[in-house]
Amino acid sequence: GQQLNQSPQSMFIQEGEDVSMNCTSSSIFNTWLWYKQDPGEGPVLLIALYKAGELTSNGRLTAQFGITRKDSFLNISASIPSDVGIYFCAGRPGAGSYQLTFGKGTKLSVIP
Amino acid sequence: EAGVTQFPSHSVIEKGQTVTLRCDPISGHDNLYWYRRVMGKEIKFLLHFVKESKQDESGMPNNRFLAERTGGTYSTLKVQPAELEDSGVYFCASSPNRDPYNEQFFGPGTRLTVL
């Protein structure tokens, strides 16, 4: 089946630093999504990307849908303690597909 | 508006026992999904309901797993008999109408431990 390779697996950063994480795949994806999971909660959608090359921002978060449709990155600028959590990339393999394929997640720790 | 709720939040059972997980989607959402995350791995799709019908059950691991959504409201996922490799966090999600691009809203998950 299709797989998403998400990196890094974990990150420890100082408050105020910028963060970057990415996902790659050997297959084309139709949609790229970035989710955040807080402890004890389910994943919450942060950003959705629908077109190759699309660059979208949501506050301090910026994400891009790669031109080849096989990769995406998420940047967080000026990190704060509440950014702590697990970030997942996810993709829809085809138009009309309801099924999401997820990466393994990036665990982010922010040191105050 | 209440979000997706799941019960129980945690379940610890012994190998060979039966467990039933419940999901209440957001009111009015036709689409209901089950996903599972085994420790350290990716979140994997299990199946998708549209109202009471199974639209896609391609992710169900084997016939020990049975999902139902009688009446098209809440859903249950039964594991019988449970095996050690079934341990993980089971997430339920829901989305409105038939547009696949609608956001899927996730519940908090049920953490299942099989000893």
Side-chain angles (χ1 to χ4, degrees), chain B residues 7-66:
Chain B
F7 182 83
S9 56
H10 292 82
S11 180
V12 181
I13 61 172
E14 292 195 348
K15 176 182 169 179
Q17 289 186 320
T18 297
V19 64
T20 301
L21 314 180
R22 173 173 169 142
C23 167
D24 285 79
I26 293 172
S27 178
H29 279 194
D30 288 342
N31 297 288
L32 186 148
Y33 313 83
W34 284 99
Y35 290 86
R36 173 174 76 171
R37 187 182 189 216
V38 170
M39 176 92 75
K41 303 248 178 166
E42 68 274 21
I43 299 172
K44 275 198 167 179
F45 169 84
L46 296 179
L47 89 160
H48 167 215
F49 283 99
V50 176
K51 297 186 180 179
E52 68 277 5
S53 300
K54 290 176 187 171
Q55 186 79 9
D56 179 357
E57 48 185 331
S58 61
M60 294 288 263
N62 51 60
N63 59 11
R64 295 185 294 103
F65 289 74
L66 176 63

Side-chain angles (χ1 to χ4, degrees), chain A residues 22-71:
Chain A
N22 70 82
C23 266
T24 59
S25 171
S26 56
S27 309
I28 288 172
F29 278 83
N30 179 260
T31 306
W32 283 93
L33 307 166
W34 285 93
Y35 284 85
K36 183 193 178 197
Q37 184 187 8
D38 290 324
E41 303 289 329
V44 173
L45 183 65
L46 299 174
I47 291 182
L49 302 156
Y50 300 106
K51 290 183 187 176
E54 181 180 351
L55 183 71
T56 296
S57 293
N58 177 8
R60 294 179 295 106
L61 277 60
T62 302
Q64 184 156 34
F65 190 146
I67 290 288
T68 64
R69 295 170 64 193
K70 293 182 179 180
D71 64 304

Side-chain angles (χ1 to χ4, degrees), chain B residues 81-93:
Chain B
E83 298 288 344
L84 299 178
E85 65 264 24
D86 300 333
S87 296
V89 181
Y90 289 77
F91 291 105
C92 175

